[in-house]
Amino acid sequence: MAGEKILSIDDSPTVQRLIEMILSSQGYQVILASDGEEGIAKAQSERPSVILVDFVMPKMNGFQVCKILKEDPGFSDTPIILVTSKGDKVGSKFVDVLGITEYFAKPFQPEELLAKIREVIDRKKPAAAAPSAEARPAPAAPRPAQPQASASTGLENVVREAVERTLEDFIKTSLPDMVRRELARAQPASNAGIKGDLASCRIIEVMQMLGLQRQTGRLVINRGGDSAEIYFGEGAVVFAASNCNGVRSAMEGLLRRSCRLPDDRLRHVLQTSETTGEPVDSILAREKLIDAKTFGEYLRSHTEREVYKAMAWREGGFYFEKAAPPAFAAPLRLKVEDLLLEGARRSDEWMLIQQKIPSFTVVFEPMIGNADELARRGLSDVDMKVFSLIDGRRTAQEIIDQLCLGEFDVAKSMFILLSVNLIRRKK
């Protein structure tokens, strides 16, 4: 077991932290890479005993990474485990085409990962111990069939390139027209310009359309009793907020969650603005509660977090209407394409997180109280802060509200703590 190098290639920081904590606790040396290019470089420099490869990654996907590694004679005996959320069909295809050692699907349990690692390492040991004279004929045996393998690989490349060309053409030409037609079917009679259902049109597609068309207005998303709104100005995102979990207004959410304004100051600022009509940011600056620069930083981080959260919703409805963005949000301009790239990554992580934390009303309790043991587990500062507030009484939402962190960061930390059995859901 102990000492073997394990390379994990995955673009999800949550999955990476989880894998590192699980494997490090068992004595493995863990090497991390966040994309395919970095993964190949570290594989060549570190020569790991086992390589874990995520299927969906930026720059270079799992297919390309596995193909490059398997074509390198230096990795012909290195076990490669494909980590995929695409199901058995994708995994079996990789085994057949590229000779992947194993594959398993996310989300996974710690014991499953450890069992798989031990299995492939144990399977490799007899081959490594065999005499070299006996080992030489083995690679020579399949050599006559090599043209067929090349043909198979060539056919695979042709099919893949054809699919990529078709998909690229579809995204550039057909998809925008389909989205426009879908949105135009249910034009509301009011001021709303578009309306639809998240089951047939995802928020990221709508945001992309609004950005390309340089729209100004308000995108409202409703899901059960929760709602979110994203304001656009000339195609850029200038503000976003939600009224989830009892927050009554967009401004209250910004001041309470991101600016961390105490309740008495919060009420004073909102009442003053409502009575006098003075912009909230002006009141904050005038009364020296928050200076303009700091407020701008809070505004940006708050807007980004709210957009990422809304992008993860998979059910509900939405509509877009012509509306002026809030005056205080005028200086902020976030490019839609930048938000979509980061939001897509977070959306995938949210799907993993929500399988363990379906609601922020849940209460967790600690399973360990030994400070030395916590330190040995390699928890981050955020993990330690979250763990310190888990007492079997506070809900996940109450912990989020108490910490000066976003929902995503706290939920991600809870997911890690749950996965390594440091906390559990209170029954």
Side-chain angles (χ1 to χ4, degrees):
M1 174 196 67
E4 289 96 342
K5 289 183 180 179
I6 312 295
L7 170 61
S8 174
I9 310 174
D10 197 304
D11 66 320
S12 167
T14 303
V15 174
Q16 289 286 53
R17 282 177 57 203
L18 180 58
I19 287 176
E20 184 175 28
M21 289 176 68
I22 293 170
L23 297 183
S24 297
S25 69
Q26 299 299 310
Y28 293 109
Q29 300 179 51
V30 184
I31 306 158
L32 302 177
S34 58
D35 60 60
E37 292 179 359
E38 182 186 4
I40 290 173
K42 287 192 173 180
Q44 292 170 340
S45 63
E46 298 288 344
R47 295 293 166 175
S49 300
V50 179
I51 301 175
L52 304 173
V53 182
D54 184 30
F55 180 73
V56 180
M57 293 185 295
K59 296 183 181 180
M60 189 181 294
N61 61 33
F63 180 93
Q64 296 166 311
V65 173
C66 294
K67 184 174 184 296
I68 290 172
L69 291 175
K70 280 301 180 181
E71 288 177 349
D72 186 336
F75 296 100
S76 59
D77 294 328
T78 303
I80 299 178
I81 300 177
L82 181 70
V83 184
T84 174
S85 57
K86 297 295 184 181
D88 289 346
K89 290 184 178 179
V90 171
S92 61
K93 178 180 178 181
F94 272 72
V95 171
D96 295 339
V97 174
L98 295 177
I100 301 307
T101 307
E102 291 286 353
Y103 63 93
F104 64 98
K106 293 185 284 188
F108 52 83
Q109 296 299 319
E111 55 271 17
E112 294 175 349
L113 176 63
L114 291 171
K116 192 70 71 175
I117 294 288
R118 284 194 293 266
E119 180 184 339
V120 298
I121 288 178
D122 290 344
R123 194 186 307 163
K124 181 185 176 184
K125 284 178 181 176
S132 58
E134 296 179 12
R136 284 196 194 104
R143 197 164 291 201
Q146 203 167 2
Q148 185 177 353
S150 300
S152 174
T153 303
L155 177 60
E156 194 70 31
N157 287 335
V158 171
V159 173
R160 177 168 55 82
E161 290 171 2
V163 170
E164 288 177 352
R165 285 197 305 271
T166 304
L167 183 60
E168 182 179 5
D169 181 65
F170 172 75
I171 292 173
K172 287 182 177 179
T173 58
S174 304
L175 180 59
D177 291 335
M178 288 175 62
V179 172
R180 290 190 191 96
R181 287 196 300 270
E182 195 67 36
L183 297 176
R185 286 181 184 174
Q187 291 283 346
S190 65
N191 193 33
I194 59 174
K195 183 179 181 180
D197 192 288
L198 294 181
S200 59
C201 193
R202 295 175 62 191
I203 288 300
I204 58 174
E205 295 165 345
V206 179
M207 288 181 61
Q208 195 168 35
M209 291 294 298
L210 296 174
L212 290 172
Q213 295 176 358
R214 300 182 62 81
Q215 292 285 345
T216 296
R218 183 176 71 141
L219 176 63
V220 179
I221 309 107
N222 294 301
R223 183 188 66 168
D226 296 336
S227 68
E229 53 188 17
I230 303 173
Y231 283 90
F232 288 77
E234 294 294 322
V237 172
V238 297
F239 182 60
S242 65
N243 69 348
C244 308
N245 303 305
V247 176
R248 292 183 293 277
S249 70
M251 180 53 68
E252 180 185 341
L254 170 62
L255 297 179
R256 187 189 298 277
R257 291 175 179 168
S258 296
C259 299
R260 315 301 295 180
L261 213 62
D263 286 345
D264 56 340
R265 297 295 179 89
L266 173 65
R267 287 192 296 270
H268 168 69
V269 170
L270 293 177
Q271 288 172 359
T272 302
S273 177
E274 185 177 351
T275 303
T276 65
E278 185 180 2
V280 168
D281 55 332
S282 298
I283 300 173
L284 293 171
R286 175 170 52 77
E287 300 198 4
K288 297 182 179 180
L289 296 173
I290 302 175
D291 62 78
K293 181 181 178 182
T294 304
F295 180 77
E297 293 171 354
Y298 285 147
L299 177 64
R300 170 181 286 271
S301 61
H302 177 87
T303 298
E304 289 174 341
R305 287 199 302 266
E306 295 292 311
V307 170
Y308 299 147
K309 181 170 64 177
M311 286 175 59
W313 292 2
R314 293 291 188 269
E315 56 185 26
F318 66 88
Y319 65 87
F320 179 78
E321 62 182 3
K322 297 294 183 180
F328 63 81
L332 185 63
R333 295 187 64 82
L334 302 176
K335 292 183 179 179
V336 171
E337 55 266 33
D338 293 340
L339 290 168
L340 294 183
L341 285 173
E342 175 64 13
R345 181 185 67 80
R346 291 193 177 210
S347 179
D348 290 340
E349 293 196 14
W350 265 123
M351 292 179 68
L352 282 176
I353 292 169
Q354 288 172 346
Q355 294 190 34
K356 287 182 176 289
I357 312 173
S359 168
F360 289 152
T361 61
V362 299
V363 175
F364 297 111
E365 58 184 3
M367 295 179 64
I368 189 172
N370 187 311
D372 292 336
E373 176 65 14
L374 286 174
R376 191 183 71 81
R377 294 293 186 101
L379 298 182
S380 68
D381 291 341
V382 174
D383 296 335
M384 293 294 285
K385 287 179 181 178
V386 173
F387 185 85
S388 68
L389 294 177
I390 293 174
D391 56 6
R393 296 187 300 274
R394 294 183 179 95
T395 66
Q397 185 61 53
E398 288 171 338
I399 293 174
I400 290 169
D401 291 340
Q402 187 163 342
L403 291 169
C404 191
L405 297 167
E407 291 179 347
F408 178 77
D409 295 314
V410 177
K412 183 167 64 173
S413 183
M414 289 179 177
F415 173 82
I416 296 290
L417 295 172
L418 277 166
S419 299
V420 296
N421 300 317
L422 289 177
I423 64 173
R424 64 186 175 192
R425 186 169 178 172
K426 187 174 181 181
K427 297 180 180 179

